């Protein structure tokens, strides 16, 4: 049987995000909600230095569920956000994923199902604890029949006179899968009173994250660390929440604690490396990425990051070799597009604008929703004096990525130069909404206001 790691945070489907009825407050206090990650501004890097995701969260160093899109505010934004690693299509429902996992995990006999669940006498099996546990895992993981699994778990708990913590955890898992988070919370808390287990802490934290209560989840992880000092999964959970709350400095400290306990933890190494890179320390980031290479990680993303670190650390001999290796290891067009985009930056850095133009065009050819490449192509076209082409590219970039301030600001600058003050002002205001602290945008808006005052 194939076991599924239930502890890791699930990818939320569009239905789960938009039709979420578990909201605690529509306007939460700053620093208490994952839905408004930008509200906790302690140590948040500027969007001019570290790019943001569509949800307004700085890009992390490690791809995992919930890091790409966050929690979109509108249905249109949810549909546009790619929710999976290898596809630009949003995940429509999390339940379909469990069905597919179940069908692939065990071969059934050609005559019919391995076990006919509708004919099972659950009361009889509930009285045989060892058999009941194996049967529950088959029903829950393989058949994905959560309701039958819940009935069996309830009968088994009753038979054990509510003294078996394991069954309480399983009931909590069933309630969580059914979206009954408050009932799941009660079961996990009851199980923790009987037997303190690391997995139970992680399941309960998962419930609080689904209820958008990151502060409660943090406190729970800290309680877990009091009972299990130095436990890596609990430290990693704290780091992930800090990262989702935009508290990057605290997240980095937690990842360093993780590395003190387990110096081969890939997520911690990748996130610390990414943090050093965006903190203008490419040499230190290079050491962390080399460590990943020594550990046997051998993929496109790692060589892409190595190439960027080498370039910014002025180790030019390794830069192109790393990018060539990254291109040869690219598994899909999105990965290849990112590598070509970064090669375009290298070309801009060495002053070869024609090579940069070709690289950005190759990025767009591989991934025609690569907003950053459209934006940079527009800048190069503007330098050549092709104003209309630059405007068209910037409009494409801003429609593909409304969370980026650069296309709006560039469009405002071009419109201002050609005398289209109204469009310039509209674009500048959009840029200000996305990145309020951008000084150049503020200066442009002030200048336009003076123009309008003189009319």
């Amino acid at each position: 049987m194939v076991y599924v790691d239930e502890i890791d945070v699930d990818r939320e489907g569009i239905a789960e995000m938009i039709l979420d009825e578990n909201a605690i407050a529509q306007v939460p206090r700053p620093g208490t909600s994952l839905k408004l990650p930008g509200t906790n501004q302690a140590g948040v890097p500027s969007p001019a230095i570290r790019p943001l995701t569509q949800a307004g969260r700085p890009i992390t160093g490690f791809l995992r569920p919930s890091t790409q899109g966050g929690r979109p505010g509108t249905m249109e934004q949810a549909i546009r956000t790619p929710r999976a690693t290898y596809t630009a299509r949003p995940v429509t429902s999390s339940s379909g994923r469990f069905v597919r996992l179940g069908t692939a995990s065990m071969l059934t006999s050609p005559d019919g199902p391995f076990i006919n669940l509708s004919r099972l006498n659950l009361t009889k099996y509930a009285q045989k604890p060892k058999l009941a546990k194996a049967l529950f895992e088959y029903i829950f993981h393989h058949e994905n029949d959560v309701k039958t699994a819940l009935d069996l778990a309830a009968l088994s708990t009753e038979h054990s006179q509510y003294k078996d913590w394991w069954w309480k955890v399983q009931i909590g898992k069933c309630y969580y899968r059914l979206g009954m988070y408050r009932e799941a919370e009660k079961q996990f808390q009851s199980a923790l009173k009987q037997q303190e287990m690391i997995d139970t802490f992680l399941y309960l934290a998962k419930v609080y994250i689904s209820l958008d209560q990151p502060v409660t989840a943090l406190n729970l992880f800290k309680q877990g660390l009091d009972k299990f000092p130095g436990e890596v999964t609990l430290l990693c959970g704290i780091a992930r929440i800090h990262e989702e709350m935009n508290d990057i400095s605290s997240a980095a400290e937690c990842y360093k604690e993780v590395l003190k306990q387990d110096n081969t933890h890939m997520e911690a190494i990748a996130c610390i490396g990414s943090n050093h890179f965006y903190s203008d320390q490419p040499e230190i980031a290079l050491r962390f990425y080399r460590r990943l290479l020594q550990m046997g990680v051998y993929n496109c993303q790692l060589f892409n990051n190595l190439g960027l670190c080498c370039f910014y650390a002025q180790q030019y001999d390794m830069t192109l070799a790393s990018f060539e290796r990254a291109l040869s290891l690219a598994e899909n067009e999105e990965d290849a597009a990112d590598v070509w985009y970064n090669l375009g930056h290298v070309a801009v850095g060495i002053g070869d604008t024609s090579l940069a133009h070709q690289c950005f065009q190759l990025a767009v050819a591989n991934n025609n929703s690569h907003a950053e490449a459209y934006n940079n192509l527009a800048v190069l076209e503007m330098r050549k004096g092709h104003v209309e082409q630059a405007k068209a590219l910037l409009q494409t970039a801003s429609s593909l990525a409304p969370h980026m301030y650069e296309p709006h600001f560039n469009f405002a600058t071009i419109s201002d130069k050609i005398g289209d003050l109204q469009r310039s002002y509209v674009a500048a205001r959009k840029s200000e909404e996305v990145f309020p602290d951008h000084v150049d945008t503020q200066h442009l808006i002030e200048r336009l206001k003076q123009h309008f005052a003189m009319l």
Side-chain angles (χ1 to χ4, degrees):
M1 185 184 288
V2 174
Y3 280 90
V4 182
D5 188 3
E6 291 277 318
I7 293 165
D8 215 350
V9 181
D10 303 314
R11 292 178 195 159
E12 290 181 302
I14 292 175
E16 286 90 344
M17 285 184 294
I18 300 298
L19 306 175
D20 182 16
E21 295 177 352
N22 299 296
I24 307 303
Q26 291 300 319
V27 187
R29 292 196 312 278
T32 61
S33 171
L34 296 171
K35 293 187 180 180
L36 296 170
T39 52
N40 182 16
Q41 290 296 333
V44 179
S46 156
I49 298 166
R50 186 167 186 165
L52 301 178
T53 62
Q54 189 155 353
R57 189 172 293 134
I59 286 176
T60 178
F62 192 83
L63 187 63
R64 53 181 177 263
S66 85
T67 55
Q68 281 181 297
R71 294 164 185 253
T74 63
M75 184 59 115
E76 183 188 4
Q77 202 176 354
I79 290 168
R80 276 186 178 177
T81 308
R83 306 285 302 156
T85 315
Y86 292 113
T87 174
R89 188 177 150 272
V91 174
T92 45
S93 173
S94 60
S95 56
R97 172 170 156 260
F98 295 119
V99 173
R100 287 195 297 279
L101 286 167
T103 53
S105 59
M106 185 185 280
L107 290 170
T108 54
S109 59
D111 306 320
F114 183 66
I115 295 175
N116 194 336
L117 296 181
S118 58
R119 293 183 182 178
L120 285 181
N121 183 354
L122 297 178
T123 312
K124 184 180 89 174
Y125 288 108
Q127 291 165 7
K128 300 175 182 176
K130 290 177 183 175
L131 186 60
K133 287 182 179 181
L135 181 61
F136 173 86
E137 292 193 329
Y138 173 82
I139 296 169
F140 187 79
H141 289 297
H142 177 266
E143 293 296 329
N144 191 37
D145 189 342
V146 181
K147 189 176 178 300
T148 308
L150 180 60
D151 292 341
L152 176 61
L155 289 166
S156 299
T157 313
E158 206 174 315
H159 179 259
S160 67
Q161 298 178 343
Y162 306 98
K163 290 177 183 174
D164 192 339
W165 64 271
W166 191 88
W167 283 114
K168 291 183 179 179
V169 172
Q170 306 317 308
I171 292 173
K173 280 162 69 174
C174 292
Y175 280 141
Y176 179 84
R177 188 79 74 83
L178 293 167
M180 300 163 70
Y181 299 127
R182 286 300 179 192
E183 287 79 0
E185 178 193 5
K186 287 173 189 168
Q187 294 295 332
F188 290 137
Q189 284 175 339
S190 176
L192 279 175
K193 282 177 189 169
Q194 284 185 346
Q195 177 76 40
E196 286 167 336
M197 297 289 287
I198 296 165
D199 280 13
T200 317
F201 279 110
L202 294 168
Y203 284 129
L204 187 52
K206 193 172 150 183
V207 169
Y208 287 132
I209 289 166
S210 297
L211 287 168
D212 192 25
Q213 293 186 337
V215 178
T216 314
L218 279 175
N219 292 334
L220 180 73
F221 279 132
K222 284 167 186 168
Q223 284 174 29
L225 282 171
D226 292 340
K227 308 290 180 188
F228 303 97
E231 172 55 40
V232 169
T233 48
L234 298 174
L235 285 167
C236 198
I238 292 174
R240 286 180 180 186
I241 292 177
H242 280 309
E243 202 167 49
E244 290 201 24
M245 299 279 287
N246 272 5
D247 193 354
I248 302 296
S249 54
S250 299
E253 289 301 317
C254 291
Y255 280 127
K256 283 172 186 170
E257 285 295 319
V258 170
L259 284 185
K260 283 178 189 173
Q261 304 297 331
D262 176 10
N263 59 8
T264 59
H265 197 279
M266 287 186 189
E267 183 179 339
I269 294 170
C271 289
I272 293 172
S274 170
N275 192 43
H276 279 302
F277 178 79
Y278 287 117
S279 304
D280 205 17
Q281 296 171 320
E283 300 88 352
I284 303 173
L286 191 57
R287 287 176 57 194
F288 282 95
Y289 289 128
R290 277 180 58 204
R291 172 72 175 150
L292 284 176
L293 199 60
Q294 288 164 357
M295 283 166 53
V297 180
Y298 194 80
N299 59 22
C300 168
Q301 290 84 356
L302 179 57
F303 278 102
N304 183 34
N305 291 356
L306 280 168
L308 279 175
C309 289
C310 287
F311 178 69
Y312 287 108
Q314 297 180 3
Q315 298 181 15
Y316 300 121
D317 52 335
M318 283 293 295
T319 304
L320 290 176
S322 297
F323 281 126
E324 280 175 7
R325 187 67 57 86
L327 280 173
S328 67
L329 291 170
E331 292 179 1
N332 52 43
E333 290 181 341
E334 282 81 4
D335 290 347
D338 285 338
V339 179
W340 282 117
Y341 173 73
N342 289 331
L343 274 166
H345 270 288
V346 171
V348 169
I350 61 175
D352 191 342
T353 52
S354 60
L355 175 61
H357 197 273
Q358 285 177 320
C359 289
F360 291 135
Q361 281 187 323
L362 281 164
V364 170
N366 279 293
N367 179 8
N368 60 6
S369 59
H370 203 294
E372 292 89 347
Y374 280 112
N375 177 64
N376 291 6
L377 270 174
V379 173
L380 292 174
E381 292 292 345
M382 189 59 197
R383 288 182 66 174
K384 291 179 183 176
H386 303 158
V387 177
E388 289 305 315
Q389 206 168 339
K391 283 175 71 177
L393 288 165
L394 286 170
Q395 283 173 324
T396 306
S398 55
S399 65
L400 286 169
H403 60 282
M404 282 170 54
Y405 79 94
E406 291 96 335
H408 298 304
F409 174 70
N410 290 340
F411 189 83
T413 308
I414 290 175
S415 300
D416 181 44
K417 280 182 181 175
I418 62 174
D420 190 348
L421 301 184
Q422 181 59 41
R423 282 188 181 175
S424 177
Y425 183 72
V426 171
R429 289 307 299 267
K430 284 180 183 173
S431 172
E432 188 185 35
E433 280 174 29
V434 177
F435 184 15
D437 300 328
H438 190 228
V439 177
D440 291 342
T441 303
Q442 291 169 355
H443 287 332
L444 181 60
I445 290 173
E446 283 300 317
R447 200 167 71 248
L448 288 168
K449 281 180 178 175
Q450 287 173 4
H451 275 300
F452 294 142
M454 288 163 64
L455 293 174

